[in-house]
Amino acid sequence: MSKCVVVDTTKSPWARLRPVPVNTVKLRDSFWMKRIEVLRKVTIPTQYEKLEETGRIENFRKVARGDKDIIWRIADDSDVYKWVEAAAFTLAYEYDPSIERMLEEVVEAISSAQDEDGYLFTYYAYDRGSRWSDLMRMHELYCAGHLFQAAIAYYRATGRDKLLNTAIRLADHIADVFGPDRRSGAPGHPEIEMALVEMYRQTGREKYLELAEFFLDQRGKGLLGGDIVLIDHKPFRELDSMVGHAVRAIYLCCGATDIYLETGDESLYSTLERLWRSMMKRMYITGGVGSRYHGEAFGEDYELPNVRAYAETCAAVANVMWNWRMLMATGEARFTDVIETVIYNGALSGISLDGKRYFYVNPLADRGGHRREEWFSCACCPPNIARLLASLPGYFYSTNSEGIWIHFYTSSTSSIELNGRMIGLIQETRYPWEGRVKLEVNPEKSDMFSLFIRIPEWCEEVKIIVEGKEFKRRILPGTYLKIEKDWDYGDTVEVFMSIKPMLMISHPHVLGNTDRVAIRRGPIVYCLEHVDNPGFDVWNIIVPPDVQLREDFRPELLNGVVMVRGRAFVIDSKVWKSKLYLPLRNMPLEFSEVEFRAIPYYAWANREPGPMIVWLRSLMPKIPPERTRACRLSS
Amino acid sequence: MSKCVVVDTTKSPWARLRPVPVNTVKLRDSFWMKRIEVLRKVTIPTQYEKLEETGRIENFRKVARGDKDIIWRIADDSDVYKWVEAAAFTLAYEYDPSIERMLEEVVEAISSAQDEDGYLFTYYAYDRGSRWSDLMRMHELYCAGHLFQAAIAYYRATGRDKLLNTAIRLADHIADVFGPDRRSGAPGHPEIEMALVEMYRQTGREKYLELAEFFLDQRGKGLLGGDIVLIDHKPFRELDSMVGHAVRAIYLCCGATDIYLETGDESLYSTLERLWRSMMKRMYITGGVGSRYHGEAFGEDYELPNVRAYAETCAAVANVMWNWRMLMATGEARFTDVIETVIYNGALSGISLDGKRYFYVNPLADRGGHRREEWFSCACCPPNIARLLASLPGYFYSTNSEGIWIHFYTSSTSSIELNGRMIGLIQETRYPWEGRVKLEVNPEKSDMFSLFIRIPEWCEEVKIIVEGKEFKRRILPGTYLKIEKDWDYGDTVEVFMSIKPMLMISHPHVLGNTDRVAIRRGPIVYCLEHVDNPGFDVWNIIVPPDVQLREDFRPELLNGVVMVRGRAFVIDSKVWKSKLYLPLRNMPLEFSEVEFRAIPYYAWANREPGPMIVWLRSLMPKIPPERTRACRLSS
């Protein structure tokens, strides 16, 4: 039985970092402990119920029984697989007999539905002739990939190989059908690429890695109609920007990164680097990506509408998955910064505080109509956010031969294997609400190694005290600070990050954010919600650029959050009546002065509905004459 | 032979205004004369060629021959019909033997494809069993409606009844199939409703009016899956906002208005009034509507993205058609204001100055990639803008028993029938570039009647001189000014409208236009295009709210336009490099001062590609302390 890690780069020749198992970290009273508890107690069981209610699990049993009354939806199998993956990580993190029972039932159902030749996809259970006939629209390979990931997580969590054997039989079947000398074909929805690489890591069978490369290289040949939404308009290595369906595009990048981690193919890495830089111009401040409803797709650079943000929860999850792989490949903190932004904002908004309602779409402004739902007919997002949260303890640390990499901060006790020895590591912190982190390092015996301490990119002031002595070297935000020493049991490192609310602005080509500011405090992006600001319409606020922001922790509010307050102006949009456009000289100029209250974006829409907004109108700083220069017109 | 009018409300009991035939008005050297000439000389012949090239006309001939090699596209027939309508109006306005020949050929082809029972839709020519089986997706009734409109225009233009008889046979066939005691069914794409009412007006057959009412009332019963995009989520009379596919929604409103004009059904009118007010919160400053790519649909109130504006050319055309019917019903100038905005901006942008390239989508900001195309696989827009322009001379005047209504200004000579007598009317003006209009009224003999002179809503200063004497009553913008007198041959009315460039602002809930201004001069909305402003990126401009705007007519530029110039600041977005978000305190504050040059929006993308923008960043006026009041928070 392997250890239950998220992406097993332990032996990947091109990986800079190695993972730690999800049960390495035991969260203590902290931001994440509450969420993971709700996940185990509410999310996993209620999703199981939904999967049963909607016939998704029963579909497998029906196939096993030969019952033809199947409810046909092309991605239903994958919802079950993602739930299995989430439940397996949950179980690996903390044993729970009820989850174990559910898992066994579901695994039994899945395995029983496999055809003799290894084929497994309930949609075509009785239609042998149609199998693999429409890779563009049918989600056979996508579902297969999710089965592989589920099977691996279940095996790593429990040591039981029933589902892994099912996965292997299906993978072998797919390898019999597709390949350079066999059938060509590109999956309409990428996913199988990264799953095949993980199957290779799990089983050592090189044909799975080769098949992943094969599928990657099938794109851009017109097998998917040359469709840009399906990322078929160009070969992968020729892509120069992140385009197409966001989840598909990022899953494809995950697969390509996984292939790079095993093969060291530089043409892949340079493509990934280019695409990542492109994505950085197409990402919301929340880490949400895929701004277009149309095609659930990436927009152009700076195309980031707020009300009509699509920013699918699945795309945020995918964003974490890809950046994690890039981090494993490089050890560069810019990827960790993205992960942190996403998990505290654009992904976490996808699930309610009570753990049983979900956003598919994550707007950054709303009039009050957008609410989380218990389930969707296309139910990809709920189990996807569940598997991200369930595996989250596996994201806090990595190791390499030099030492331990600390990616994220949370109160926790951990026991990390480093070069064959166990290192205890205790974090004490109220992060993300406060920036002080006390680390206690407890090696089995005195040991020389490095701690790589991540300094978040947003953190412009930081102080580090090692065993009572201030660390004197210059500390750069957006890097890992390496502290190499001979560690004794009980040694401490204290990290003091200045967490203050800051006003953020956007690149001027984000046209909808012109003269708007967003409040960010540490990794958390804030929003104004009507329920906290009943005296005015939060869309009508004008925040002075020199606003004094006050902050206080409210333990009773939204499971405990720091609320940010300040004074601002509001206009009265009602005076516009039915007018949509007015001459500037007739602009209504009546302002009220109000106190506003901001809450973390992830927590919005957990109370009464009402307007919400992240990007607040501000006042342009006056143009100082000395900063102005005359410019010749070239014609 | 009837007179060739656009919508024949002559006998409509609930119409306040009656139309004049398109050949009433002879345009003289003017804005519109040039466009109509290009239409006749370039647009009509090149569209004919495209319809032949793409097999759309040949499809009809193939059906007549029994040749089964038809190119199947569900709306192709309608493209031909709309071209016939455009060509018929063109011919009615000014005889042209080559257009007459083309028309005769096409009419012959269409008529020859009709089945014995009256059915006519090339897509199902050989598939009798599928006819009328899928009203949601198939465009049978939509194509039928366009045939009716084409046949009526052709008959009114030429007196030839061949196509009208074809239309009558098809209408009778449809009336045999559908109706209260026969088959139910709602057209997936409205159009037939207004066409059936016009068929009723043309033929006097009441069953066509009844059938139009029947189809309207079929909506909201779930026959179209209850789909909001197809406006099937509610019965028409219960709609409270403009939603769904914009062209479909507005065509439906056209049909409902036509039914109201004949029946006086108040529940229809109150719905139309409600929907019109809703649409006024969902319309671009250009008059474009339907802001969403997703479903080509109306967005929510104030959902008006600039780069991702959809604003289909067909929706702009539909907007003119509907407002025209509302104007006929009410005589209220608010509808004429919308028509004028659309025809000078959001519709006219749909066709190139050379008359042979088209926009399907009309963004209000672009980086230079959006260009007009010669044709589309779904080619609804080119013939739609053609039929609007071809029929435009029919929109300048209306009459009622009291007198003549002057809706639009353009140099022209007209001869208008009023209560059985002919009234000559000469307009001399350089409108829209200048606001002075000289009207010469030439009744056959001295005659007592009223002139209803439209004062545009944007016109805040106006002076009217009747026979050398200034009109003394208060003149309100957005109304028709009634001048009642005994008119003698050669009497003059001079209208002096102040046309100055103005900065316009948007309702604060148009989040993407916050602190942005648009330049409007008279009815013309302006934009900045890179080709006129090569020294800077027009997206980066900051226009001071007190900018002095200069204006001069450039006869050589874009067929002659008034260019608007001013001084403004620009920022350098390049200093942002790859950054997407920055702390406000790190905002780059380097500005250049430049002169900018703005051109009419309709004329953009006729020269070299480059960035374009309508809504220019401006500076918030400082909040004056005396306009501020403290506001108690209610909690």
Side-chain angles (χ1 to χ4, degrees):
Chain A
M1 170 183 168
S2 356
K3 289 163 182 168
C4 193
V5 299
V6 179
V7 179
D8 191 359
T9 57
T10 314
K11 295 179 191 162
S12 304
W14 300 88
R16 187 133 185 244
L17 303 183
R18 296 189 302 256
V20 302
V22 289
N23 61 343
T24 295
V25 180
K26 285 296 160 204
L27 302 173
R28 300 208 312 225
D29 185 21
S30 72
F31 186 92
W32 288 115
M33 192 186 77
K34 290 179 208 165
R35 301 302 295 229
I36 305 259
E37 262 182 29
V38 169
L39 179 81
R40 183 168 56 85
K41 291 183 182 161
V42 180
T43 308
I44 297 291
T46 54
Q47 291 195 357
Y48 174 80
E49 283 163 27
K50 287 285 176 193
L51 291 167
E52 283 284 21
E53 260 174 53
T54 58
R56 281 168 165 87
I57 300 170
E58 190 64 17
N59 270 352
F60 292 101
R61 298 190 195 109
K62 283 177 179 170
V63 171
R65 289 198 300 267
D67 176 352
K68 301 205 172 171
D69 177 30
I70 285 185
I71 300 159
W72 309 108
R73 280 172 304 222
I74 56 169
D76 277 8
D77 293 0
S78 70
D79 301 330
V80 179
Y81 299 148
K82 278 190 281 189
W83 178 88
V84 168
E85 195 183 348
F89 282 122
T90 303
L91 196 62
Y93 175 73
E94 183 173 356
Y95 180 71
D96 183 315
S98 73
I99 290 179
E100 188 180 40
R101 270 196 305 277
M102 286 183 239
L103 261 173
E104 278 176 34
E105 254 188 64
V106 176
V107 164
E108 179 59 38
I110 295 168
S111 295
S112 70
Q114 188 162 38
D115 209 340
E116 286 173 3
D117 62 359
Y119 185 86
L120 178 46
F121 181 54
T122 59
Y123 193 91
Y124 280 149
Y126 302 108
D127 184 3
R128 284 204 165 74
S130 295
R131 294 176 182 179
W132 314 121
S133 66
D134 185 358
L135 297 188
M136 181 154 78
R137 269 168 291 267
M138 287 300 127
H139 280 21
E140 280 160 299
L141 293 173
Y142 169 82
C143 288
H146 279 299
L147 172 63
F148 301 165
Q149 292 182 319
I152 292 167
Y154 181 68
Y155 174 73
R156 290 177 182 168
T158 64
R160 296 188 193 118
D161 61 6
K162 185 180 187 81
L163 199 60
L164 186 59
N165 288 333
T166 301
I168 288 171
R169 280 197 300 274
L170 175 55
D172 289 347
H173 173 69
I174 293 170
D176 285 345
V177 174
F178 295 99
D181 309 323
R182 291 174 293 280
R183 200 189 290 192
S184 63
H189 197 313
E191 153 67 23
I192 196 165
E193 300 83 356
M194 69 177 123
L196 279 168
V197 178
E198 203 66 23
M199 284 288 280
Y200 158 69
R201 291 176 183 137
Q202 183 61 43
T203 65
R205 299 185 188 194
E206 288 191 5
K207 67 173 173 179
Y208 299 152
L209 176 60
E210 287 159 16
L211 192 56
E213 291 185 86
F214 170 78
F215 281 131
L216 181 72
D217 290 333
Q218 293 300 294
R219 299 193 104 77
K221 297 179 172 181
L223 295 174
L224 300 169
D227 190 344
I228 193 168
V229 172
L230 302 178
I231 319 115
D232 190 42
H233 57 305
K234 281 182 185 177
F236 184 77
R237 288 171 180 78
E238 294 173 22
L239 294 175
D240 44 22
S241 58
M242 277 303 265
V243 293
H245 186 277
V247 179
R248 298 178 199 224
I250 307 178
Y251 277 16
L252 188 63
C253 289
C254 288
T257 313
D258 275 327
I259 294 169
Y260 165 76
L261 285 162
E262 303 308 320
T263 64
D265 180 339
E266 273 303 323
S267 71
L268 276 188
Y269 187 79
S270 60
T271 303
L272 290 162
E273 179 71 36
R274 200 161 63 236
L275 294 179
W276 189 87
R277 288 177 192 277
S278 166
M279 191 170 75
M280 291 304 105
K281 296 178 185 171
R282 299 172 181 204
M283 188 170 78
Y284 287 97
I285 194 168
T286 57
V289 285
S291 63
R292 286 188 186 169
Y293 272 69
H294 197 71
E296 304 185 312
F298 279 100
E300 297 288 315
D301 287 353
Y302 312 117
E303 183 188 324
L304 296 163
N306 289 311
V307 182
R308 288 287 283 178
Y310 197 72
E312 186 184 337
T313 300
C314 277
V317 171
N319 200 3
V320 172
M321 289 161 55
W322 182 28
N323 276 281
W324 179 253
R325 285 160 174 80
M326 294 296 275
L327 174 61
M328 293 301 99
T330 62
E332 292 178 20
R334 58 188 165 127
F335 303 113
T336 331
D337 281 319
V338 175
I339 296 172
E340 186 174 62
T341 298
V342 180
I343 60 175
Y344 279 109
N345 303 288
L348 198 54
S349 60
I351 184 167
S352 61
L353 293 176
D354 65 11
K356 55 187 178 189
R357 286 170 299 125
Y358 310 92
F359 277 147
Y360 197 109
V361 167
N362 294 272
L364 276 77
D366 185 57
R367 293 304 297 164
H370 190 72
R371 307 297 289 173
R372 292 187 188 83
E373 294 174 39
E374 290 194 352
W375 198 248
F376 306 97
S377 59
C378 171
C380 49
C381 296
N384 219 356
I385 185 71
R387 69 179 181 144
L388 175 68
L389 291 177
S391 61
L392 207 62
Y395 286 94
F396 283 87
Y397 301 106
S398 300
T399 61
N400 67 355
S401 59
E402 297 177 88
I404 297 171
W405 296 61
I406 303 172
H407 303 308
F408 303 110
Y409 300 109
T410 193
S411 272
S412 56
T413 316
S414 305
S415 186
I416 299 167
E417 193 189 323
L418 180 67
N419 303 326
R421 278 186 287 213
M422 297 310 290
I423 315 289
L425 200 55
I426 297 170
Q427 286 196 36
E428 275 175 37
T429 179
R430 287 173 45 75
Y431 195 91
W433 309 123
E434 294 177 16
R436 179 177 171 276
V437 182
K438 188 180 164 200
L439 295 165
E440 195 180 308
V441 187
N442 296 319
E444 284 176 334
K445 56 177 186 177
S446 177
D447 200 355
M448 184 81 178
F449 62 90
S450 297
L451 280 189
F452 294 84
I453 294 179
R454 172 172 162 263
I455 314 302
E457 198 232 351
W458 51 260
C459 180
E460 299 186 345
E461 265 181 77
V462 61
K463 190 166 72 170
I464 292 184
I465 293 172
V466 183
E467 277 292 285
K469 271 180 225 153
E470 189 169 346
F471 192 84
K472 286 295 178 197
R473 283 215 320 269
R474 193 170 159 221
I475 304 173
L476 286 176
T479 62
Y480 284 89
L481 180 76
K482 180 177 174 178
I483 303 177
E484 187 176 14
K485 83 183 242 351
D486 205 349
W487 299 92
D488 288 321
Y489 196 95
D491 277 358
T492 59
V493 177
E494 285 169 290
V495 184
F496 297 89
M497 291 171 277
S498 165
I499 294 194
K500 287 274 164 204
M502 294 168 76
L503 297 183
M504 303 297 295
I505 56 171
S506 307
H507 188 285
H509 287 189
V510 186
L511 296 187
N513 288 356
T514 302
D515 296 345
R516 291 184 178 274
V517 294
I519 300 169
R520 201 186 61 195
R521 185 179 182 279
I524 307 270
V525 175
Y526 278 70
C527 69
L528 266 62
E529 213 181 3
H530 185 72
V531 61
D532 302 305
N533 301 280
F536 58 95
D537 184 336
V538 296
W539 278 32
N540 290 347
I541 200 163
I542 303 177
V543 176
D546 57 354
V547 62
Q548 296 297 310
L549 295 172
R550 297 185 305 288
E551 40 192 324
D552 45 323
F553 186 73
R554 301 282 187 96
E556 81 297 349
L557 185 69
L558 298 161
N559 292 355
V561 296
V562 167
M563 177 178 262
V564 173
R565 290 174 302 137
R567 294 197 72 77
F569 304 102
V570 284
I571 54 160
D572 181 3
S573 60
K574 291 201 191 78
V575 301
W576 279 70
K577 294 190 183 109
S578 65
K579 290 282 178 197
L580 182 52
Y581 305 108
L582 281 181
L584 173 65
R585 64 165 175 268
N586 301 346
M587 180 192 262
L589 275 175
E590 291 295 334
F591 298 90
S592 307
E593 211 182 333
V594 297
E595 180 175 89
F596 68 83
R597 299 165 181 192
I599 58 152
Y601 170 76
Y602 72 77
W604 85 279
N606 279 290
R607 294 167 296 168
E608 301 92 277
M612 179 279 292
I613 193 160
V614 170
W615 287 98
L616 313 170
R617 187 172 172 181
S618 187
L619 295 166
M620 263 291 294
K622 268 178 60 177
I623 297 183
E626 72 276 11
R627 306 294 288 270
T628 308
R629 63 196 158 78
C631 179
R632 270 170 304 117
L633 270 182
S634 33
S635 81
Chain B
M1 171 182 168
S2 355
K3 289 162 181 167
C4 194
V5 299
V6 179
V7 179
D8 191 359
T9 57
T10 314
K11 294 181 191 161
S12 303
W14 300 88
R16 184 130 187 248
L17 303 183
R18 295 190 302 258
V20 303
V22 290
N23 61 344
T24 295
V25 179
K26 284 298 160 204
L27 302 172
R28 300 207 315 225
D29 185 21
S30 72
F31 187 92
W32 288 115
M33 192 186 79
K34 289 180 208 165
R35 303 301 294 230
I36 304 259
E37 263 182 29
V38 168
L39 179 81
R40 182 167 56 85
K41 291 183 183 162
V42 180
T43 308
I44 296 291
T46 54
Q47 290 196 356
Y48 174 79
E49 282 163 28
K50 286 287 175 192
L51 291 167
E52 283 284 22
E53 262 175 52
T54 59
R56 282 168 164 86
I57 300 171
E58 191 63 18
N59 270 353
F60 291 102
R61 297 189 195 109
K62 283 176 178 168
V63 171
R65 289 197 301 268
D67 176 352
K68 300 204 173 171
D69 178 29
I70 286 185
I71 300 158
W72 309 107
R73 281 172 303 223
I74 57 168
D76 278 8
D77 293 0
S78 69
D79 301 331
V80 179
Y81 300 149
K82 277 191 281 188
W83 177 87
V84 168
E85 195 184 347
F89 281 122
T90 303
L91 197 61
Y93 175 74
E94 184 173 355
Y95 180 71
D96 182 314
S98 73
I99 290 179
E100 187 179 39
R101 270 195 306 278
M102 286 183 240
L103 261 174
E104 277 177 33
E105 255 188 64
V106 176
V107 164
E108 178 60 37
I110 295 168
S111 295
S112 70
Q114 188 162 38
D115 210 340
E116 285 173 3
D117 62 359
Y119 185 87
L120 178 45
F121 181 54
T122 60
Y123 193 92
Y124 281 149
Y126 303 108
D127 185 3
R128 285 204 165 74
S130 294
R131 294 176 181 179
W132 313 122
S133 66
D134 185 359
L135 297 189
M136 179 153 79
R137 268 168 291 266
M138 287 301 127
H139 279 20
E140 280 160 299
L141 292 173
Y142 168 82
C143 287
H146 278 300
L147 172 63
F148 301 165
Q149 292 182 319
I152 292 168
Y154 181 67
Y155 174 72
R156 290 175 182 169
T158 64
R160 298 191 192 116
D161 61 5
K162 185 181 187 78
L163 200 60
L164 186 60
N165 288 334
T166 301
I168 288 171
R169 280 196 299 274
L170 176 56
D172 289 346
H173 173 69
I174 294 171
D176 285 345
V177 174
F178 295 98
D181 308 324
R182 292 174 291 281
R183 201 189 290 191
S184 61
H189 197 313
E191 153 67 24
I192 197 166
E193 301 82 356
M194 68 177 122
L196 279 169
V197 178
E198 203 66 23
M199 285 288 278
Y200 158 70
R201 290 175 184 140
Q202 183 60 43
T203 65
R205 299 185 189 194
E206 286 191 5
K207 68 173 173 179
Y208 298 152
L209 176 60
E210 285 159 16
L211 192 57
E213 290 185 87
F214 170 78
F215 281 131
L216 181 72
D217 289 333
Q218 293 301 293
R219 299 193 105 76
K221 296 180 172 179
L223 296 173
L224 300 169
D227 190 343
I228 193 168
V229 172
L230 302 178
I231 319 114
D232 190 42
H233 57 304
K234 282 182 185 177
F236 183 77
R237 289 170 180 77
E238 293 173 23
L239 293 174
D240 45 21
S241 58
M242 276 304 266
V243 295
H245 186 277
V247 179
R248 298 178 200 225
I250 307 179
Y251 277 17
L252 189 62
C253 289
C254 288
T257 313
D258 276 326
I259 294 169
Y260 165 76
L261 284 163
E262 303 308 320
T263 64
D265 181 338
E266 273 303 323
S267 70
L268 275 188
Y269 187 78
S270 59
T271 303
L272 290 162
E273 179 71 37
R274 200 161 62 236
L275 294 178
W276 189 86
R277 288 176 191 277
S278 166
M279 191 170 76
M280 291 304 105
K281 296 178 185 172
R282 300 173 180 203
M283 187 169 80
Y284 287 97
I285 194 167
T286 58
V289 285
S291 64
R292 284 188 187 169
Y293 272 69
H294 197 71
E296 304 185 313
F298 279 100
E300 297 287 315
D301 287 352
Y302 313 116
E303 181 188 325
L304 296 163
N306 289 311
V307 182
R308 287 288 283 178
Y310 198 72
E312 186 184 335
T313 300
C314 278
V317 172
N319 199 3
V320 171
M321 288 161 56
W322 181 29
N323 276 282
W324 179 252
R325 285 160 173 79
M326 294 296 275
L327 174 60
M328 293 300 100
T330 62
E332 291 178 20
R334 58 189 165 126
F335 303 113
T336 330
D337 282 319
V338 174
I339 296 172
E340 185 173 63
T341 298
V342 180
I343 60 175
Y344 279 109
N345 303 287
L348 198 55
S349 60
I351 183 166
S352 61
L353 292 177
D354 65 11
K356 55 188 178 189
R357 286 169 300 124
Y358 310 91
F359 278 147
Y360 197 107
V361 167
N362 294 274
L364 276 76
D366 185 57
R367 293 304 295 166
H370 190 72
R371 307 298 288 173
R372 291 188 188 82
E373 294 174 40
E374 289 194 353
W375 199 248
F376 306 96
S377 60
C378 172
C380 50
C381 295
N384 219 355
I385 186 71
R387 68 179 182 143
L388 175 67
L389 291 177
S391 60
L392 207 62
Y395 286 94
F396 284 86
Y397 300 107
S398 299
T399 60
N400 68 356
S401 59
E402 296 177 86
I404 298 171
W405 295 64
I406 303 171
H407 302 309
F408 303 109
Y409 300 109
T410 193
S411 271
S412 56
T413 314
S414 303
S415 186
I416 298 168
E417 193 189 323
L418 180 67
N419 302 325
R421 279 185 285 212
M422 296 311 289
I423 314 290
L425 201 54
I426 297 170
Q427 285 197 35
E428 276 176 36
T429 180
R430 287 174 44 74
Y431 196 91
W433 309 122
E434 294 176 16
R436 179 176 171 278
V437 182
K438 188 181 164 200
L439 295 166
E440 194 180 310
V441 186
N442 295 319
E444 285 176 334
K445 56 178 185 177
S446 177
D447 201 354
M448 184 81 179
F449 62 90
S450 297
L451 280 188
F452 293 85
I453 294 178
R454 173 174 161 261
I455 314 301
E457 198 233 351
W458 50 260
C459 180
E460 299 186 345
E461 266 181 76
V462 62
K463 190 167 73 169
I464 292 185
I465 293 173
V466 183
E467 278 291 287
K469 273 181 223 150
E470 189 169 347
F471 192 83
K472 287 295 177 197
R473 282 215 320 268
R474 194 170 160 221
I475 302 172
L476 287 175
T479 62
Y480 285 89
L481 180 76
K482 179 177 175 178
I483 303 178
E484 187 176 16
K485 83 184 242 353
D486 205 347
W487 298 93
D488 288 320
Y489 195 95
D491 278 358
T492 59
V493 177
E494 285 169 291
V495 184
F496 296 90
M497 290 171 277
S498 164
I499 295 193
K500 286 274 163 205
M502 293 168 75
L503 297 183
M504 302 298 295
I505 56 171
S506 307
H507 188 286
H509 288 189
V510 185
L511 296 187
N513 288 356
T514 302
D515 297 343
R516 291 185 179 273
V517 294
I519 299 169
R520 201 186 60 194
R521 186 179 180 281
I524 307 271
V525 174
Y526 277 71
C527 70
L528 265 62
E529 214 181 3
H530 185 71
V531 61
D532 302 305
N533 301 280
F536 57 96
D537 184 336
V538 296
W539 278 32
N540 290 346
I541 200 163
I542 304 177
V543 176
D546 57 354
V547 61
Q548 297 296 310
L549 296 172
R550 297 185 304 289
E551 40 191 327
D552 44 323
F553 185 73
R554 301 283 188 95
E556 80 297 349
L557 185 67
L558 298 162
N559 292 355
V561 296
V562 167
M563 177 178 262
V564 173
R565 290 173 302 137
R567 293 197 73 77
F569 304 103
V570 284
I571 54 161
D572 182 3
S573 60
K574 290 200 192 78
V575 300
W576 279 69
K577 293 188 183 114
S578 65
K579 290 283 178 196
L580 182 53
Y581 305 108
L582 281 181
L584 172 65
R585 63 166 175 267
N586 300 346
M587 180 192 263
L589 277 174
E590 291 293 334
F591 298 89
S592 307
E593 210 183 333
V594 297
E595 181 176 89
F596 67 85
R597 299 166 181 191
I599 58 152
Y601 169 76
Y602 71 77
W604 85 278
N606 278 290
R607 294 167 297 167
E608 300 91 281
M612 179 279 292
I613 192 161
V614 170
W615 286 99
L616 313 170
R617 187 173 173 183
S618 187
L619 295 165
M620 263 290 295
K622 269 179 57 177
I623 296 182
E626 72 277 12
R627 307 294 288 271
T628 308
R629 64 195 158 78
C631 179
R632 271 170 303 116
L633 269 182
S634 34
S635 81

